[in-house]
Amino acid sequence: MEISDDENDGPFENPKEVDHRSTANGMKFIDEVLNGPNERCLDSVRMDKHVFYKLCDILQAKGLLRHTNRIKIEEQLGIFMFITGHNLRTRAIQELFRYSGETISRHFNNVLNAIIAISLEFFQPPGSDIPPKIREDPRFYPYFKDCVGVVDGMHIPVMVGVDEQGPFRNKIGFLSQNVLAACSLDLKFHYVLAGWEGSAPDLRVLNSALTRRNKLQVPEGRYYLLDTKYANMPGFICPYQDATYPLQDCSHPQDAKELFNHRHSLLSSTTDRIFAALKERFPILMSVPPYPLQTQVKLVVATCALHNYIRREKPDDFIFKMYDQENGLQMNDTLPPVEMDQPMMPIENQIPGFDFESEQLESSSRLRDSIAAEIWNDYISDFSTGV
């Protein structure tokens, strides 16, 4: 005879003594959160009440989560959000929800797998419209009208066995996974690739994203921005490597390359803000969670998917307000930043690991040159006329 979830959801104390009390206390706790002020809900489950309830409805409607006799979907999702949104360990969650460690762990994994199952619905590819951030700013329009976003990597702390640690040890000696993300300019993730070892070169991770079955798609005639640890190539535009980047003060750029790099850096800083917002909402990503590696990889994808879901449902929530503008960026990362790779210079018009023809790379260089020239010509014209 199989044991149902209902029969297996026991409290962490003696069931004969506290079964009803622990269940009541657990539900009372989540009910107090959801029935209290919205500010408490925001702080507790990292999203507004209506956003939380809608997510519960979505997961239930798709058959990914179900109520049990003892733990309703709201409480299951609440357990997951308390763990990821407050970086709490199982013992602390047991004290809050009054369930056994096994029950907490099982529902945590159930919710994680449910979110992964619908994650693709929350990752939307770039649209055909010009991003408002570009269209509405004369510094970027019309020059970057074909830009759809920014691609960059972030290192997330990881826990692996001693025998596996070598490849995961990054350049500064920390164990991490190298996560690649393609981001829109309005702080959404288009695409996320997690699980690569911390020592993996960023260009190799990008190549993997472009060649795997579920690959990063770049719309025809459009491009993403990259920073100097990558290379200028079809579908991607990097800063000039022989000019200052980024410029702290571009009040007097010396030439078209410097001015281009400055405008490029203003747009590409989007990834700093989206990564900061993600880690602010889900501080578990800044720690070393004691889960199997595959679970740690899933956590990155799931939290990015939830970030997108919340951004869609409540774009002005309290965390997004902190990072919507460039001057709101405050990086509170417990993992020191990884030293940047040396600029990737194509060798004899080739990029190692990428199957691009010389003409394709030259065409990409001409595109960047034409954008830089247009920006510079308009800058000189405006400067001369005192605009």
Side-chain angles (χ1 to χ4, degrees), residues 201-234:
D202 294 287
L203 202 60
R204 182 182 177 192
V205 181
L206 175 59
N207 188 38
S208 173
L210 293 172
T211 55
R212 62 199 299 111
R213 182 174 59 85
N214 179 26
K215 63 183 179 180
L216 170 63
Q217 301 277 359
V218 183
E220 185 71 25
R222 310 293 291 277
Y223 57 81
Y224 282 98
L225 301 181
L226 298 171
D227 71 15
T228 53
K229 62 178 175 282
Y230 299 99
N232 206 70
M233 66 183 84

Coordinates of all heavy atoms in Angstrom, one line a residue, residues 201-234:
P201 N 35.4 29.4 -18.8 CA 35.5 30.7 -19.5 C 34.1 31.2 -19.9 O 33.3 30.4 -20.4 CB 36.4 30.5 -20.7 CG 37.1 29.2 -20.3 CD 36.2 28.4 -19.5
D202 N 33.9 32.5 -19.7 CA 32.6 33.1 -20.1 C 32.2 32.8 -21.6 O 31.1 32.6 -21.9 CB 32.5 34.5 -19.8 CG 32.6 34.8 -18.3 OD1 31.7 34.6 -17.6 OD2 33.7 35.2 -17.9
L203 N 33.2 32.9 -22.4 CA 33.0 32.7 -23.9 C 32.5 31.3 -24.2 O 31.7 31.0 -25.0 CB 34.2 33.1 -24.7 CG 34.0 33.4 -26.1 CD1 33.1 34.7 -26.3 CD2 35.3 33.7 -26.8
R204 N 33.0 30.3 -23.4 CA 32.7 28.9 -23.6 C 31.2 28.7 -23.1 O 30.5 28.0 -23.8 CB 33.6 28.0 -22.8 CG 33.3 26.6 -22.9 CD 34.2 25.7 -22.1 NE 33.9 24.3 -22.2 CZ 34.4 23.4 -21.3 NH1 35.3 23.8 -20.4 NH2 34.1 22.1 -21.5
V205 N 30.8 29.4 -22.0 CA 29.4 29.3 -21.6 C 28.5 29.9 -22.6 O 27.4 29.3 -22.9 CB 29.3 29.9 -20.2 CG1 27.8 29.8 -19.7 CG2 30.2 29.3 -19.2
L206 N 28.9 31.0 -23.2 CA 28.0 31.6 -24.2 C 27.9 30.7 -25.4 O 26.8 30.6 -25.9 CB 28.6 33.0 -24.6 CG 27.9 33.7 -25.8 CD1 26.5 34.0 -25.4 CD2 28.7 35.0 -26.1
N207 N 29.0 30.1 -25.8 CA 28.9 29.2 -26.9 C 28.0 28.0 -26.6 O 27.2 27.6 -27.5 CB 30.3 28.6 -27.2 CG 30.4 27.8 -28.5 OD1 29.7 28.1 -29.5 ND2 31.1 26.7 -28.5
S208 N 28.0 27.5 -25.4 CA 27.1 26.4 -25.0 C 25.6 26.9 -25.1 O 24.8 26.2 -25.6 CB 27.4 26.0 -23.6 OG 26.4 25.1 -23.1
A209 N 25.4 28.1 -24.7 CA 24.0 28.7 -24.7 C 23.5 28.8 -26.2 O 22.3 28.7 -26.4 CB 24.0 30.0 -24.1
L210 N 24.4 29.0 -27.1 CA 24.0 29.2 -28.5 C 23.9 27.9 -29.3 O 23.4 28.0 -30.4 CB 25.0 30.2 -29.2 CG 25.1 31.6 -28.7 CD1 26.2 32.4 -29.3 CD2 23.7 32.3 -29.0
T211 N 24.4 26.9 -28.8 CA 24.5 25.6 -29.5 C 23.7 24.5 -28.9 O 23.6 23.4 -29.6 CB 26.0 25.2 -29.7 OG1 26.6 25.1 -28.4 CG2 26.7 26.2 -30.5
R212 N 23.2 24.6 -27.7 CA 22.5 23.5 -27.1 C 21.0 23.5 -27.7 O 20.6 24.4 -28.4 CB 22.4 23.7 -25.6 CG 21.8 24.9 -25.1 CD 22.2 25.3 -23.7 NE 21.8 24.3 -22.7 CZ 22.7 23.6 -22.0 NH1 24.0 23.8 -22.3 NH2 22.3 22.7 -21.2
R213 N 20.3 22.4 -27.3 CA 19.0 22.2 -27.9 C 18.0 23.4 -27.4 O 17.4 24.0 -28.3 CB 18.4 20.9 -27.4 CG 17.0 20.6 -27.9 CD 16.6 19.2 -27.5 NE 16.6 19.0 -26.1 CZ 15.5 19.3 -25.3 NH1 14.4 19.9 -25.9 NH2 15.5 19.2 -24.0
N214 N 18.0 23.7 -26.2 CA 17.2 24.8 -25.7 C 18.1 26.0 -25.7 O 18.7 26.4 -24.6 CB 16.6 24.5 -24.3 CG 15.8 25.7 -23.7 OD1 15.3 26.5 -24.5 ND2 15.8 25.8 -22.4
K215 N 18.3 26.6 -26.8 CA 19.4 27.6 -27.0 C 18.9 29.0 -26.9 O 17.7 29.3 -27.0 CB 20.1 27.4 -28.3 CG 19.3 27.6 -29.5 CD 20.1 27.3 -30.8 CE 19.3 27.5 -32.0 NZ 20.1 27.2 -33.3
L216 N 19.8 29.9 -26.6 CA 19.6 31.3 -26.6 C 19.3 31.8 -28.1 O 20.1 31.6 -29.0 CB 20.8 32.1 -26.1 CG 20.8 33.6 -26.2 CD1 19.6 34.3 -25.5 CD2 22.1 34.2 -25.7
Q217 N 18.1 32.4 -28.3 CA 17.8 32.8 -29.6 C 18.0 34.4 -29.8 O 17.5 35.1 -28.9 CB 16.3 32.5 -29.9 CG 15.9 31.0 -29.8 CD 16.2 30.3 -31.0 OE1 16.7 30.8 -32.0 NE2 16.0 29.0 -31.0
V218 N 18.6 34.8 -30.8 CA 18.8 36.2 -31.1 C 18.0 36.5 -32.4 O 18.2 35.9 -33.4 CB 20.3 36.5 -31.4 CG1 20.5 38.0 -31.6 CG2 21.2 36.1 -30.2
P219 N 17.0 37.4 -32.3 CA 16.2 37.6 -33.5 C 17.0 38.1 -34.6 O 18.0 38.8 -34.5 CB 15.2 38.8 -32.9 CG 15.2 38.6 -31.5 CD 16.6 38.1 -31.1
E220 N 16.6 37.8 -35.8 CA 17.2 38.1 -37.0 C 17.3 39.7 -37.1 O 16.4 40.4 -37.0 CB 16.5 37.6 -38.3 CG 17.2 37.9 -39.6 CD 18.4 37.0 -39.8 OE1 18.5 35.9 -39.2 OE2 19.3 37.5 -40.6
G221 N 18.6 40.1 -37.4 CA 18.8 41.6 -37.6 C 18.9 42.3 -36.2 O 19.0 43.6 -36.3
R222 N 18.8 41.6 -35.1 CA 18.9 42.3 -33.8 C 20.2 41.8 -33.1 O 20.9 40.9 -33.6 CB 17.7 42.0 -32.9 CG 16.4 42.2 -33.6 CD 16.0 43.6 -33.9 NE 15.8 44.4 -32.8 CZ 14.6 44.5 -32.1 NH1 13.6 43.8 -32.6 NH2 14.5 45.3 -31.1
Y223 N 20.4 42.4 -31.9 CA 21.7 42.0 -31.2 C 21.5 42.2 -29.7 O 20.7 43.0 -29.3 CB 22.9 42.7 -31.7 CG 22.8 44.2 -31.7 CD1 23.0 44.9 -30.5 CD2 22.4 44.9 -32.8 CE1 22.9 46.3 -30.5 CE2 22.3 46.3 -32.8 CZ 22.6 47.0 -31.6 OH 22.5 48.4 -31.6
Y224 N 22.4 41.5 -28.9 CA 22.5 41.8 -27.5 C 23.9 42.5 -27.3 O 24.8 42.4 -28.1 CB 22.6 40.5 -26.7 CG 21.3 39.8 -26.5 CD1 20.8 38.8 -27.3 CD2 20.5 40.2 -25.4 CE1 19.6 38.2 -27.0 CE2 19.2 39.6 -25.1 CZ 18.8 38.6 -25.9 OH 17.6 38.0 -25.7
L225 N 24.0 43.2 -26.2 CA 25.2 43.8 -25.8 C 26.0 42.9 -24.9 O 25.4 42.2 -24.1 CB 25.0 45.2 -25.1 CG 24.2 46.3 -25.9 CD1 24.1 47.5 -25.0 CD2 24.9 46.6 -27.2
L226 N 27.3 42.9 -25.0 CA 28.2 42.1 -24.2 C 29.3 43.0 -23.6 O 29.5 44.1 -24.2 CB 28.9 41.0 -25.0 CG 28.0 39.9 -25.7 CD1 28.9 39.1 -26.6 CD2 27.4 39.0 -24.6
D227 N 30.0 42.6 -22.6 CA 31.1 43.4 -22.1 C 32.4 42.8 -22.7 O 32.4 41.9 -23.5 CB 31.1 43.5 -20.6 CG 31.4 42.2 -19.9 OD1 31.9 41.3 -20.5 OD2 31.2 42.1 -18.6
T228 N 33.5 43.3 -22.2 CA 34.8 43.1 -22.8 C 35.3 41.7 -22.6 O 36.3 41.3 -23.2 CB 35.9 44.1 -22.3 OG1 35.9 44.0 -20.8 CG2 35.5 45.5 -22.8
K229 N 34.7 40.9 -21.7 CA 35.2 39.5 -21.5 C 34.7 38.6 -22.6 O 35.1 37.4 -22.7 CB 34.9 38.9 -20.2 CG 33.4 38.8 -19.9 CD 33.2 38.2 -18.5 CE 31.7 38.2 -18.0 NZ 31.3 39.5 -17.6
Y230 N 33.9 39.1 -23.5 CA 33.4 38.3 -24.6 C 34.0 38.9 -25.9 O 35.1 39.5 -25.8 CB 31.8 38.4 -24.7 CG 31.1 37.8 -23.5 CD1 30.7 38.7 -22.5 CD2 30.9 36.5 -23.4 CE1 30.0 38.2 -21.4 CE2 30.3 36.0 -22.3 CZ 29.8 36.8 -21.3 OH 29.2 36.3 -20.2
A231 N 33.4 38.6 -27.0 CA 34.0 39.1 -28.3 C 32.8 39.6 -29.2 O 31.7 39.2 -29.1 CB 34.7 38.0 -29.0
N232 N 33.2 40.6 -30.0 CA 32.2 41.1 -31.0 C 32.0 40.1 -32.1 O 32.9 39.6 -32.7 CB 32.8 42.4 -31.6 CG 31.7 43.3 -32.1 OD1 31.0 43.9 -31.3 ND2 31.6 43.5 -33.4
M233 N 30.7 39.8 -32.3 CA 30.4 38.7 -33.2 C 28.9 38.9 -33.7 O 28.2 39.7 -33.1 CB 30.5 37.3 -32.5 CG 29.6 37.1 -31.4 SD 29.8 35.5 -30.5 CE 31.1 36.0 -29.4
P234 N 28.5 38.1 -34.7 CA 27.1 38.2 -35.2 C 26.1 38.0 -34.0 O 26.2 37.1 -33.3 CB 27.0 37.1 -36.2 CG 28.4 37.0 -36.7 CD 29.3 37.2 -35.5

